[in-house]
């Protein structure tokens, strides 16, 4: 089976991009007014701002999740990547309501990782063994929540691999 690209909602990143542009513009104006005699410092600030804008502001529009024969790859921009082997997935569930917060975050005391762009209609992967996620500060998790606009395609492909959702009534 070929890799399947799983899109996620990109509209949530637009406000982040706009706010980041405004903040970096003001920061660069501040650096320009403060260090106007030293063009090297000003150029370094501009280059650092451009890199930050591309990595945090633009890159989420360029990535997607991927399902392959061996694993699920969750991406959110160039700043987060997780590879979950299908052999480590114990159970799949569709979750109607997730947390109020969206983005990449984890429970500080718990063992859940969230890679979400919406608050509803999430996929929960329960893992057989705790897995460490380097892009989430090395956090170990046994539950991974994520969302995709191609939920039915994902669930159908996982069912072909004998990984059927435990709550099929929510799978429509």
């Amino acid at each position: 089976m070929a890799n399947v690209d799983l899109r996620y909602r990109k509209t949530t990143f637009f406000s982040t991009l706009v706010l980041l542009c405004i903040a970096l513009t003001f920061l660069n104006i501040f650096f320009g007014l403060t260090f106007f005699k030293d063009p090297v410092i000003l150029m370094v600030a501009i280059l650092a701002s451009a890199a930050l804008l591309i990595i945090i502001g633009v890159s989420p529009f360029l990535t997607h999740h991927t399902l392959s024969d061996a694993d699920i790859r969750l991406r959110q921009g160039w700043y987060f990547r997780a590879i979950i082997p299908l052999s480590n997935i114990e159970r799949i569930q569709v979750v109607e309501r997730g947390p109020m917060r969206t983005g990449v975050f984890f429970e500080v005391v718990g063992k859940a990782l969230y890679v979400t762009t919406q608050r509803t209609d999430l996929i929960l992967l329960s893992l057989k063994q705790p897995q460490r996620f380097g892009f989430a500060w090395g956090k170990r998790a046994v539950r991974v929540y994520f969302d995709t606009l191609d939920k039915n395609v994902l669930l159908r492909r996982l069912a072909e691999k004998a990984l059927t959702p435990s709550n099929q009534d929510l799978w429509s």
Side-chain angles (χ1 to χ4, degrees), residues 51 142 164:
V142 292
T164 306

Side-chain angles (χ1 to χ4, degrees), residues 50-102:
L52 190 65
L53 182 67
I54 290 170
I55 291 170
I56 295 177
V58 176
S59 72
F61 293 102
L62 305 175
T63 60
H64 49 265
H65 306 317
T66 306
L67 173 65
S68 72
D69 288 333
D71 54 41
I72 294 176
R73 295 170 190 252
L74 303 178
R75 299 286 308 260
Q76 199 166 93
W78 295 331
Y79 52 85
F80 179 81
R81 180 183 67 191
I83 300 172
I84 302 169
L86 295 180
S87 61
N88 194 27
I89 297 175
E90 180 177 37
R91 186 178 56 201
I92 303 164
Q93 291 177 276
V94 176
V95 178
E96 285 187 56
R97 286 189 173 265
M100 292 297 291
R101 182 177 168 195
T102 60

Side-chain angles (χ1 to χ4, degrees), residues 3 7 10 17 33 36 42 50 67 70 73 86 101 110-112 118 127 130 140 143 146 150 155 166:
N3 289 350
R7 302 166 297 134
K10 311 283 176 139
L17 178 62
L33 293 174
F36 67 93
L42 188 57
L67 173 65
R73 295 170 190 252
L86 295 180
R101 182 177 168 195
K111 295 197 179 261
Q118 58 192 32
L127 306 180
R140 293 174 63 90
R143 293 182 316 280
F146 71 100
D150 303 317
L155 295 175
S166 61

